[in-house]
Amino acid sequence: MTINKKDICKAISKNTEISLSLSSDIFNNFIDIIKNNSNSQTIKLSNFGSFHRKKTTARMGRNPKTKENYIISERTKLNF
């Protein structure tokens, strides 16, 4: 089962009887707080899970349309 951001915002809106735009703002602010605070530490939410940063190494990528190879740089990703 796939749940996306829109589904979460709809569920928040329905369960709390607030507007969809307000629930979207609340959810976006929550994600921004997690992103901003996860740079230096792991974020643990009790009875839910943990968010942490993970470094990915540089690797070779390929454009499927042109078949051109290029290097994808090292990045940090937010993992749950």
Side-chain angles (χ1 to χ4, degrees):
M1 180 176 159
T2 302
I3 297 175
N4 59 28
K5 186 173 161 180
K6 189 174 182 180
D7 295 333
I8 294 171
C9 293
K10 282 182 181 178
I12 292 171
S13 177
K14 182 180 175 184
N15 292 335
T16 59
E17 298 179 2
I18 59 175
S19 69
L20 185 59
S21 63
L22 181 58
S23 66
S24 179
D25 289 343
I26 290 169
F27 184 72
N28 287 331
N29 287 335
F30 171 75
I31 296 299
D32 288 340
I33 290 168
I34 298 296
K35 284 180 184 178
N36 292 336
N37 289 318
S38 67
N39 289 332
S40 61
Q41 58 192 358
T42 299
I43 306 296
K44 294 180 183 177
L45 300 176
S46 185
N47 296 325
F48 186 68
S50 298
F51 295 89
H52 64 278
R53 291 278 179 181
K54 179 181 177 184
K55 278 191 176 181
T56 60
T57 59
R59 58 191 165 89
M60 287 298 295
R62 182 170 46 95
N63 183 332
K65 187 174 183 180
T66 63
K67 310 292 187 208
E68 183 180 343
N69 291 330
Y70 60 95
I71 297 174
I72 300 172
S73 63
E74 182 178 90
R75 298 165 191 231
T76 60
K77 295 181 179 181
L78 184 62
N79 284 0
F80 177 68

